Amino acid sequence: MKIYIETYGCQMNECDSAMIRSMLVSAGHSLTSDLAEADVVMVNSCTVRERAEQRVLGRLRHLRGLIAKDAALGVIGCVAQRMGKRLLSEVRGLDFVVGTDRYALIPDVVEKAGHGLKRVETDQDDSEDYGDCPGPITASLSDFVSVMRGCNNYCSYCIVPYVRGRERSVPHETVLTEVKALVRLGMRDVTLLGQNVNSYRDGSVTFARLLGIINDISGLARIRFATSHPKDLSEELIDAIAGLDKVCEHIHLPVQSGSNAILRRMNRSYTREDYVALIGNIRKKIPGVAVTTDVITGFPGETSEDFRATLSLMEEIRFDSAFMFRYSVREGTSAGALNDDVPEATKIERLKTTIELQKGITTAINQGLIGTLLEVLADGPSKRDASRMFGRSRSGKAVVFECPDECAGELIHVRVTGCSAWTLHGEAEARQKDLARPFDGC
């Protein structure tokens, strides 16, 4: 059978889709990017916000009218896990629903799809880590590897623990094998994924020790990770980032709010003061580190004073960038039972204010990099200007630069000549292979 997969949502969903493609190919199926020739179409879905969920439902309804009448249509992932059997009545012509702990069944589901059988597989299994799945079949220069599944934190606004289950760590040998396989396929930059990678533990192997093990893999140039929770980012992990040469100087550390009252309501398990002290320690031990974050505006009970506290925290910390969202109710979370008392117009206005503040901070930080030399992993031609190359610095900043010839996959030393709000611009000065010693810039 020819299988078509669309993926929505986070990096974890992208990683899961890659794993599912490997399962399907191993089972004898083929993959296609052409809807018209697909025997089975599936959508890997995101439910972290209401808008994301509605987008998936709309796309499923649209797809049913685009694909062949005898082609099977299914939804997998977080929306499938949250809504289950209800999806069969929400989306006319849907053939199967597979939740986040049942991906191993997908080859069988696909084999039997399209014969009038409606199938729903959403039982949760908190022992499932997919450690025995087939190895990767393709790789990008920058790719993802899941080291954990699930979450134990139960932040009051978050649906993830309910749709991805309890926290469990993938055995470190399994992680090591997958990273090595991706490197053989051409990967140079790996991002290790988990809802809270700080909590990783496989016997005596902590996340910091896992970084050290992966740091020794020949052919791998860079190691990144996401996401960290402020409540348990350890000294050991900070020291590992500071001391391991392939681990990039970038920490994504969601703060969500600058108000202690809102943080308590969110069940975030730290205070504003805790967070500020942690950032101070990180910056002391890792010079030049980039810190990025997540911010939610309009959480239930958020007053003007609470919101100003978030703005003042952003000004104090000066994040390199941020993912910013307005609060949306997620059915089944503890915050879903709270009175959603911040008007939608106020949520939107606060979000706009937050975005404008962060844009100004990011622009100022980028302007401060003009004239500096950055190590950039060249990814390929820029989408906006194919005559220039696109890549990312060790600190995760997007860089578009002039390069005399093809250099994708190489570490390039780029002199920053200008910037926009979210992108650095520069000129290539040297390739790492042309230099007598390794580059030690940011």
Side-chain angles (χ1 to χ4, degrees):
M1 286 190 176
K2 292 184 177 180
I3 317 295
Y4 175 96
I5 303 176
E6 281 188 9
T7 306
Y8 293 86
C10 65
Q11 296 169 331
M12 186 70 79
N13 279 10
E14 295 285 353
C15 192
D16 285 347
S17 288
M19 176 183 69
I20 291 163
R21 290 187 186 99
S22 295
M23 290 180 184
L24 290 167
V25 170
S26 180
H29 300 290
S30 60
L31 306 172
T32 180
S33 58
D34 185 353
L35 270 175
E37 68 175 22
D39 300 303
V40 178
V41 174
M42 67 180 76
V43 174
N44 193 355
S45 58
C46 174
T47 188
V48 69
R49 288 178 297 280
E50 182 180 12
R51 183 177 178 182
E53 186 172 285
Q54 291 303 315
R55 182 185 180 198
V56 166
L57 295 177
R59 180 58 174 163
L60 286 167
R61 296 179 185 115
H62 186 57
L63 282 170
R64 184 70 273 179
L66 293 178
I67 64 179
K69 288 185 178 180
D70 59 349
L73 177 64
V75 59
I76 65 177
C78 295
V79 174
Q81 189 65 49
R82 194 187 83 78
M83 297 186 69
K85 192 174 181 179
R86 280 190 292 157
L87 281 163
L88 297 179
S89 57
E90 288 275 348
V91 180
R92 183 178 300 175
L94 193 66
D95 294 288
F96 60 87
V97 178
V98 179
T100 54
D101 288 339
R102 309 298 281 173
Y103 294 152
L105 296 176
I106 285 179
D108 181 67
V109 170
V110 162
E111 190 69 42
K112 297 174 181 175
H115 300 293
L117 175 66
K118 303 290 185 181
R119 190 161 173 184
V120 178
E121 298 284 355
T122 56
D123 290 346
Q124 286 194 300
D125 178 1
D126 288 343
S127 67
E128 178 63 85
D129 59 23
Y130 297 109
D132 58 352
C133 287
I137 54 175
T138 61
S140 303
L141 285 171
S142 299
D143 226 321
F144 309 113
V145 171
S146 175
V147 302
M148 297 185 70
R149 305 192 71 84
C151 184
N152 290 349
N153 288 309
Y154 288 91
C155 301
S156 65
Y157 53 82
C158 186
I159 194 69
V160 169
Y162 303 96
V163 295
R164 286 194 172 268
R166 300 288 290 177
E167 180 182 283
R168 60 269 200 196
S169 300
V170 178
H172 74 278
E173 291 290 354
T174 300
V175 175
L176 189 63
T177 297
E178 184 172 356
V179 175
K180 286 180 176 179
L182 286 166
V183 169
R184 286 194 295 270
L185 290 168
M187 180 185 70
R188 298 274 283 147
D189 180 324
V190 66
T191 300
L192 307 176
L193 299 179
Q195 299 302 326
N196 178 23
V197 293
N198 304 357
S199 299
Y200 179 92
R201 183 171 288 276
D202 176 29
S204 63
V205 179
T206 62
F207 187 63
R209 289 192 62 188
L210 180 67
L211 290 177
I213 293 168
I214 294 173
N215 195 76
D216 291 335
I217 296 176
S218 177
L220 184 65
R222 290 178 172 176
I223 303 168
R224 306 180 189 278
F225 58 89
T227 294
S228 292
H229 194 297
K231 74 178 178 62
D232 53 13
L233 197 156
S234 67
E235 288 283 340
E236 181 192 25
L237 179 54
I238 295 171
D239 290 341
I241 299 167
L244 295 171
D245 64 314
K246 294 179 184 178
V247 178
C248 292
E249 297 80 14
H250 173 210
I251 297 179
H252 186 70
L253 199 62
V255 67
Q256 309 300 4
S257 176
S259 162
N260 284 337
I262 297 300
L263 289 173
R264 283 193 298 272
R265 216 166 290 151
M266 289 179 166
N267 191 34
R268 289 294 287 172
S269 305
Y270 56 85
T271 64
R272 175 193 178 112
E273 292 74 21
D274 294 334
Y275 189 92
V276 170
L278 179 59
I279 296 297
N281 190 34
I282 289 169
R283 286 177 168 163
K284 178 182 177 181
K285 290 195 169 188
I286 314 170
V289 66
V291 179
T292 57
T293 198
D294 295 348
V295 174
I296 296 173
T297 65
F299 189 78
E302 183 185 71
T303 64
S304 297
E305 182 180 358
D306 292 323
F307 178 58
R308 285 194 297 271
T310 296
L311 297 180
S312 70
L313 179 72
M314 293 172 67
E315 290 170 337
E316 180 178 0
I317 297 294
R318 296 183 64 78
F319 297 104
D320 287 73
S321 66
F323 294 108
M324 296 158 281
F325 313 96
R326 67 181 187 271
Y327 173 74
S328 64
V329 178
R330 303 313 296 128
E331 179 186 351
T333 64
S334 59
L338 299 176
N339 179 21
D340 186 21
D341 56 354
V342 180
E344 190 67 14
T346 302
K347 291 179 185 178
I348 293 171
E349 186 59 36
R350 289 177 181 174
L351 178 60
K352 288 180 179 178
T353 301
T354 303
I355 291 171
E356 285 305 307
L357 173 60
Q358 185 57 54
K359 182 179 179 180
I361 292 170
T362 299
T363 301
I365 291 173
N366 287 348
Q367 287 172 341
L369 292 172
I370 294 175
T372 63
L373 195 64
L374 303 182
E375 180 194 271
V376 176
L377 178 62
D379 188 64
S382 168
K383 291 181 180 179
R384 293 190 177 183
D385 182 356
S387 68
R388 307 179 78 200
M389 294 295 291
F390 171 85
R392 290 195 179 273
S393 71
R394 285 181 63 92
S395 58
K397 297 183 185 299
V399 185
V400 175
F401 59 99
E402 303 287 349
C403 194
D405 51 13
E406 176 60 38
C407 58
E410 294 185 27
L411 294 172
I412 309 295
H413 300 174
V414 176
R415 184 73 63 183
V416 180
T417 58
C419 70
S420 61
W422 311 112
T423 305
L424 300 174
H425 302 271
E427 296 178 354
E429 290 201 354
R431 300 181 179 187
Q432 192 164 69
K433 66 180 181 180
D434 298 328
L435 300 179
R437 63 178 179 83
F439 180 67
D440 58 0
C442 61

